[in-house]
Amino acid sequence: MDASIRLFAAQGFERTTVSEICTQAGISKGAFFHHFPTKQDVFLQVLDNWLATLDVQLKTLITSSKSVSDGLVQMAALTREIFNQSNGQLGMFLEFWDQSRHDPEVWKVTVAPYRKYTQLFASYLRRGIEEGSIEPVDPEVAARMIVSMAVGFLLQNLMDPQATDWENTVVNSMNLLLNGLKRRTT
Amino acid sequence: MDASIRLFAAQGFERTTVSEICTQAGISKGAFFHHFPTKQDVFLQVLDNWLATLDVQLKTLITSSKSVSDGLVQMAALTREIFNQSNGQLGMFLEFWDQSRHDPEVWKVTVAPYRKYTQLFASYLRRGIEEGSIEPVDPEVAARMIVSMAVGFLLQNLMDPQATDWENTVVNSMNLLLNGLKRRTT
């Protein structure tokens, strides 16, 4: 898996061959195909693992947060970890998006998490509205906005890491957004 | 140019040959190379044209807007046009991002507009703070947030057009964001 991630991120999914993955990983083709019927299967497994980690982190925050507005700030701080951990891995994002335009199977798996996280944020915001920490906004719109921000920041951090301190920008942006979302105590 | 956009968007930059472009466009290779020394030159020209149109639209809005907060809502409405006009063209985004990871020349040209638009929004927000329609937030953070949102929405509209009414979502999101940015009249 590690060898695949390195190669996919560096030279792209298309250009990477199973032979290269096997050489990098020091395994035989037999061993490779024993675990993964196709190169696409490794690709999808990489995405699955990555999302599984993210799921655990998000769910921990959601269940442990004192209030929804607090939880959202902590989630923004999570991006620090995401930006760091995923050094080489972030390049995979573009690969997934690019592949999914040509491959309906990859498309299904790539699009699913965006839909899932939108629903997760929407229901989290609904909880915030109910508990009174969030203004009665449209939770779906706010959720799509948060997901879009995350995607946009991830991509810019990947493309232009030197442009700014992206981690602080994400945290400050979430605070800015919360200026509009947080329940005014008037 | 039209033929190139169609082919790049449908099958990717790498997979598209100059011969295919010439066949689609009904021109000779001689004619092609007379205008574009390389395939990459068409690619970069596509980006340039697209950005030139966007520049005109943004600058018109900036100079004609009554207040900065009004202008920002009108800019969000601009995405309606962008989402529509760029049907096939939007696929090019992913191509640019993907190519720029392997090609420093494409990288420079792809990253430049993000930097430029961030500066443009930052100085527009600064004007809003001065005129009193925008809260005294950090203009750079708010600008990066707007650009990130735009990138994230563009990408999701491209990847999952059926998921929601993206145009309305963008406009509603901008209104939500402005809840936090707009100067409170207290």
Side-chain angles (χ1 to χ4, degrees), chain A residues 27-182:
Chain A
I27 57 167
S28 68
K29 277 202 177 180
F32 179 94
F33 287 115
H34 177 72
H35 292 287
F36 304 106
T38 69
K39 185 174 72 163
Q40 201 204 56
D41 291 307
V42 205
F43 196 63
L44 296 176
Q45 191 61 52
V46 170
L47 182 62
D48 262 13
N49 290 3
W50 202 82
L51 291 172
T53 312
L54 190 60
D55 272 10
V56 172
Q57 294 172 312
L58 282 178
K59 272 171 194 151
T60 306
L61 272 182
I62 283 180
T63 49
S64 71
S65 59
K66 276 186 296 142
S67 71
V68 171
S69 54
D70 274 0
L72 288 172
V73 176
Q74 287 168 335
M75 281 181 199
L78 242 188
T79 50
R80 197 176 301 269
E81 232 170 295
I82 294 173
F83 285 175
N84 288 336
Q85 94 191 154
S86 46
N87 243 315
Q89 290 189 38
L90 269 188
M92 291 291 294
F93 269 94
L94 287 173
E95 285 301 315
F96 285 119
W97 287 329
D98 205 47
Q99 282 306 309
S100 64
R101 293 174 53 228
H102 311 292
D103 182 333
E105 189 58 34
V106 176
W107 179 81
K108 238 172 55 194
V109 180
T110 304
V111 155
Y114 293 94
R115 294 182 174 176
K116 193 179 81 174
Y117 290 126
T118 300
Q119 292 320 310
L120 182 133
F121 278 110
S123 74
Y124 193 47
L125 287 162
R126 224 167 271 125
R127 193 183 112 188
I129 295 167
E130 280 161 23
E131 78 186 10
S133 73
I134 297 290
E135 287 275 295
V137 297
D138 181 330
E140 202 201 300
V141 169
R144 292 202 184 277
M145 195 178 163
I146 291 172
V147 171
S148 290
M149 260 178 55
V151 171
F153 276 128
L154 217 60
L155 195 75
Q156 288 185 86
N157 170 66
L158 171 67
M159 296 298 288
D160 200 359
Q162 307 302 324
T164 192
D165 179 342
W166 289 109
E167 297 164 5
N168 278 329
T169 303
V170 171
V171 173
N172 292 336
S173 291
M174 184 55 101
N175 281 318
L176 243 172
L177 178 58
L178 279 170
N179 282 353
L181 291 182
K182 237 193 276 186

Side-chain angles (χ1 to χ4, degrees), chain B residues 159-171:
Chain B
M159 296 298 289
D160 200 0
Q162 307 302 324
T164 192
D165 179 342
W166 289 110
E167 297 164 7
N168 278 329
T169 303
V170 171
V171 174

Side-chain angles (χ1 to χ4, degrees), chain B residues 58-125:
Chain B
L58 281 178
K59 272 170 193 149
T60 306
L61 272 182
I62 283 180
T63 49
S64 70
S65 60
K66 276 187 296 141
S67 71
V68 171
S69 54
D70 274 1
L72 288 171
V73 176
Q74 286 167 336
M75 281 182 200
L78 241 188
T79 51
R80 197 176 301 269
E81 231 169 294
I82 294 173
F83 285 175
N84 287 337
Q85 95 193 153
S86 46
N87 244 316
Q89 289 189 39
L90 268 190
M92 292 290 294
F93 269 94
L94 287 174
E95 285 301 316
F96 286 119
W97 286 329
D98 205 47
Q99 282 306 308
S100 63
R101 292 175 54 229
H102 311 292
D103 182 332
E105 189 57 35
V106 176
W107 179 81
K108 238 170 56 192
V109 180
T110 303
V111 156
Y114 294 93
R115 294 182 176 178
K116 192 179 84 174
Y117 289 126
T118 300
Q119 293 319 311
L120 182 134
F121 278 110
S123 74
Y124 193 48
L125 287 163

